[in-house]
Amino acid sequence: MSLRADASRCGGVVVELEPEDDKDARVKRAKSIPGSALIYLKGPKFLIYVSGALSMWGDRMWHFAISVFLIELYGRNLLLTAVFGLVVAGSVLLLGALIGDWVDRNPRNKVAHASLFIQNISVTVCSIVLMLVFSYKQWIEQIWDGWLTVVCYTVVIVLADVANLASTALTIAIQRDWIVVITGYNRGHLAGMNATMRRIDQVTNILAPLAVGQVMTLASNVVGCGFILGWNLVSLIVEFIFLSRVYRIVPALSLKPPVEDVDEAFLESTERRFHGEGNASEPPALTEDNCNMSLHLKEMANLPLCFQRFRWLLSTCKDGWRAYYRQPVFLAGMGLAFLYTTVLGFDCITTGYAYTQGISGSLLSLLMGVSAITGLMGTLMFTKLRKAYGLVNTGIISSCLHLGCLLLCVCSVFAPGSPVDLNLLMPYINTNSSEVGGMASQREKHTYHLRGGSNQPLLPDRSSIHWTNNTLLFDNDPSDTVPVSYISIILLFLGVITARIGLWSFDLTVTQLLQENICESERGVVNGVQSSMNYLMDLLHFIMVISAPQPQHFGILVIISVLFITTGHTMYFLYARKAKRKHRLDT
């Protein structure tokens, strides 16, 4: 007889006793909520996110601040900034393959720690040098007839370039290699981590320059240097601890396939070519190629050690570019690189053009914030599309969306209020002075210059400047000039802002394709060459602007940019067609 029957028969109160199994399950569920959160906070994903956020925040602050510092040092002239940009782009272009090869050849923890240490220490030392230069600039300019100043400028640019190279190595190691291993090669988890890292990058891209810009504006350049110095020292310690813990709790990170040495592989392949794979008794045929090969090996052996090392570096670079070319995702990577040749982004070029068209600095800041939101929307769209349609189809959809939005930018070239003069494409046709005068008046009709005389410095006093991300906000906005029409500039920024949804979704697609399809032993060198290609195409867009610097030329630059972007997406379409055909054949 049950307990319920006994209790009711004796006139007692029936008490429902909860089964022990249900009680234990309920307690476990109650404990699992904070327990799961604690496990996640101690897990490798969260540690990578925090480490990446600290690194990205420091990078964004430094990239913004160094440009401003160089302008201030050289009498508010853009020469040092241009030299710095050229050095950074050229160094990554030349050394990208070597950096990637170094990442492949060394253990993951040593690569991450060395890159982290070199990057933060370079920024720290550079900040100290800048603080000394800003504090004792007049005294330094009097030493060695001003040559000490040149030495200081050189040291600053070199240290900043070293920091950028180390940052490139750290990005390749963590975002292109570690993440793949941490997710266990799970495509869904990999897409989620890639999207989260990109969201962090989008947020820091807006907030970090604003933070350091406020410090520099409210205090001074010296205080700004000290703020960056302190941030990098703290970030160095935290990132080192977090990355070390991730390396310990993910045993797969310690397992790395050895990279076959280039020289040994070359000698072994040569020996096999001479002696045959399976027929050692048969002597090789004496040909001109064999003779040249043996002479080449003898010449390498007779070279001094420094020349041998130099030839090894050249061989490594050549092999890196060859490895990049033979990848199945070569066309997708090239397509992404072509997207860097554009003026349709929120950099100093586009924002500067908008300023000449009567757009205020406060409105530009608001538009940049909206663009960051659309960029985050692109990362969310990527994860949804990948689940629904697959990775390759996600790239196709993102490409079509990107190109469709950029059509608004093309329409802005011919819309009312556009300062473009297509006759500039044929400068030798219109030689009549009256026509030239008409062109000049047409330019002045749509262009709004800064106040001041012809001898006005490039930048006004610091009291009238508010520094933001890639934008100079002036107190004396050209509000007294009213443009003929705002239709052109509205279409331009509407296209640029909405296109970022497709752009960042496409970027994440190609990034994951590179992660999934490149073998582990070549992951570093191929991504290093990809970085070189990105910088090369970025250099082309600066050359475009140097060749056509006037606001009247901007419409032509927009059309050229859209052509480059269309070429890039066409390359991806060719890759997608090839990948789908291969998939059908395999199935």
Side-chain angles (χ1 to χ4, degrees):
M1 189 174 291
S2 65
L3 291 175
R4 176 187 295 269
D6 290 340
S8 60
R9 189 170 54 186
C10 299
V13 179
V14 178
V15 179
E16 290 279 354
L17 296 177
E18 184 180 12
E20 291 295 330
D21 293 341
D22 294 343
K23 183 177 181 180
D24 292 341
R26 182 173 57 83
V27 173
K28 287 181 179 180
R29 283 197 300 270
K31 292 182 177 180
S32 64
I33 298 176
S36 300
L38 187 61
I39 292 174
Y40 177 78
L41 294 177
K42 292 183 178 181
K45 287 187 178 181
F46 180 77
L47 297 178
I48 287 291
Y49 293 153
V50 175
S51 176
L54 292 174
S55 179
M56 293 174 190
W57 187 282
D59 286 346
R60 297 301 186 184
M61 285 199 308
W62 175 245
H63 289 161
F64 171 78
I66 187 63
S67 300
V68 177
F69 291 154
L70 292 176
I71 291 175
E72 289 287 336
L73 286 176
Y74 205 66
R76 297 189 176 95
N77 190 292
L78 293 175
L79 178 61
L80 281 183
T81 305
V83 172
F84 170 67
L86 182 62
V87 170
V88 167
S91 60
V92 177
L93 176 61
L94 295 176
L95 303 177
L98 294 175
I99 293 173
D101 181 75
W102 175 73
V103 172
D104 286 333
R105 289 177 178 273
N106 292 277
R108 289 188 172 96
N109 61 335
K110 291 184 178 180
V111 169
H113 293 162
S115 302
L116 181 65
F117 182 81
I118 294 173
Q119 177 193 8
N120 286 274
I121 294 301
S122 298
V123 173
T124 300
V125 176
C126 191
S127 299
I128 294 174
V129 174
L130 286 170
M131 293 174 68
L132 294 175
V133 172
F134 281 125
S135 300
Y136 306 101
K137 185 177 180 181
Q138 295 182 351
W139 179 72
I140 292 175
E141 289 176 347
Q142 298 175 359
I143 300 176
W144 299 345
D145 295 331
W147 282 102
L148 182 58
T149 306
V150 178
V151 172
C152 292
Y153 294 163
T154 304
V155 170
V156 168
I157 291 177
V158 170
L159 288 174
D161 183 49
V162 171
N164 183 73
L165 292 174
S167 176
T168 302
L170 186 62
T171 300
I172 293 174
I174 302 300
Q175 298 187 27
R176 302 295 185 267
D177 184 31
W178 282 46
I179 287 180
V180 181
V181 179
I182 290 172
T183 56
Y185 299 89
N186 183 290
R187 294 182 176 181
H189 295 168
L190 181 60
M193 286 200 73
N194 285 332
T196 302
M197 294 294 287
R198 190 53 48 88
R199 291 168 196 147
I200 294 172
D201 182 61
Q202 287 290 302
V203 173
T204 56
N205 190 30
I206 297 297
L207 299 181
L210 285 174
V212 71
Q214 290 298 316
V215 173
M216 294 162 57
T217 302
L218 299 177
S220 64
N221 288 328
V222 176
V223 176
C225 292
F227 179 74
I228 295 174
L229 186 153
W231 178 275
N232 276 272
L233 291 179
V234 174
S235 177
L236 171 62
I237 297 172
V238 176
E239 288 183 64
F240 186 90
I241 295 173
F242 281 13
L243 292 179
S244 299
R245 177 169 176 78
V246 171
Y247 187 80
R248 287 196 304 268
I249 62 180
V250 182
L253 289 173
S254 60
L255 304 176
K256 194 172 185 180
V259 180
E260 190 176 18
D261 187 77
V262 176
D263 297 333
E264 292 180 359
F266 176 74
L267 293 175
E268 289 178 3
S269 62
T270 304
E271 186 177 354
R272 287 196 302 266
R273 195 179 305 158
F274 281 169
H275 302 294
E277 290 276 17
N279 190 5
S281 61
E282 182 180 350
L286 186 62
T287 63
E288 184 178 354
D289 292 338
N290 291 346
C291 294
N292 292 335
M293 185 71 68
S294 60
L295 290 174
H296 176 69
L297 292 175
K298 290 180 180 179
E299 289 176 358
M300 287 188 63
N302 294 329
L303 286 174
L305 182 61
C306 59
F307 286 102
Q308 291 183 22
R309 189 67 178 174
F310 179 71
R311 295 196 67 166
W312 177 82
L313 293 176
L314 291 180
S315 177
T316 302
C317 289
K318 183 176 66 175
D319 291 339
W321 285 88
R322 285 180 176 176
Y324 178 73
Y325 176 75
R326 69 170 179 262
Q327 296 300 319
V329 290
F330 164 72
L331 286 175
M334 283 292 294
L336 178 63
F338 266 71
L339 268 59
Y340 281 75
T341 309
T342 178
V343 296
L344 301 174
F346 273 93
D347 55 5
C348 54
I349 296 171
T350 305
T351 52
Y353 167 77
Y355 189 79
T356 65
Q357 301 306 299
I359 303 300
S360 65
S362 57
L363 180 57
L364 282 174
S365 297
L366 179 62
L367 292 175
M368 291 174 64
V370 175
S371 72
I373 295 175
T374 57
L376 294 175
M377 291 171 59
T379 62
L380 295 173
M381 187 185 76
F382 164 75
T383 56
K384 300 295 184 181
L385 290 178
R386 194 205 65 83
K387 289 181 179 179
Y389 303 104
L391 191 59
V392 176
N393 290 329
T394 298
I396 296 175
I397 298 172
S398 302
S399 296
C400 295
L401 178 60
H402 189 205
L403 290 173
C405 294
L406 290 181
L407 291 178
L408 295 174
C409 300
V410 177
C411 294
S412 72
V413 176
F414 308 98
S418 172
V420 68
D421 190 349
L422 297 179
N423 290 326
L424 293 172
L425 293 172
M426 299 173 290
Y428 298 104
I429 293 180
N430 298 324
T431 56
N432 190 289
S433 59
S434 61
E435 293 177 349
V436 174
M439 289 169 57
S441 62
Q442 183 70 13
R443 295 173 192 173
E444 294 174 359
K445 185 177 180 180
H446 300 293
T447 306
Y448 308 95
H449 301 285
L450 299 178
R451 296 173 181 172
S454 59
N455 296 326
Q456 178 182 356
L458 183 65
L459 294 177
D461 295 335
R462 283 194 59 83
S463 59
S464 63
I465 298 179
H466 304 294
W467 299 101
T468 65
N469 183 23
N470 296 326
T471 311
L472 300 180
L473 308 184
F474 298 90
D475 286 337
N476 54 341
D477 288 342
S479 57
D480 57 337
T481 55
V482 179
V484 176
S485 176
Y486 283 110
I487 295 178
S488 176
I489 199 70
I490 290 174
L491 288 175
L492 175 68
F493 277 96
L494 184 62
V496 171
I497 291 174
T498 55
R500 293 177 75 86
I501 300 175
L503 172 64
W504 289 118
S505 179
F506 179 78
D507 180 87
L508 285 170
T509 300
V510 177
T511 297
Q512 184 156 344
L513 285 172
L514 293 173
Q515 291 171 330
E516 292 181 359
N517 293 277
I518 299 173
C519 64
E520 190 172 358
S521 60
E522 292 182 335
R523 198 173 286 155
V525 68
V526 172
N527 281 285
V529 175
Q530 181 67 48
S531 299
S532 298
M533 284 300 307
N534 295 344
Y535 271 94
L536 174 62
M537 304 309 291
D538 193 44
L539 270 178
L540 290 182
H541 115 269
F542 281 111
I543 294 174
M544 286 166 42
V545 177
I546 292 172
S547 303
Q550 299 298 324
Q552 297 79 22
H553 304 152
F554 191 79
I556 301 171
L557 298 181
V558 168
I559 296 174
I560 295 175
S561 299
V562 173
L563 290 176
F564 269 96
I565 293 172
T566 304
T567 303
H569 286 305
T570 302
M571 290 182 178
Y572 180 82
F573 292 151
L574 294 175
Y575 159 77
R577 179 186 176 187
K578 183 178 179 181
K580 289 185 175 182
R581 182 184 301 172
K582 182 180 178 182
H583 179 71
R584 285 195 298 267
L585 292 176
D586 293 340
T587 56

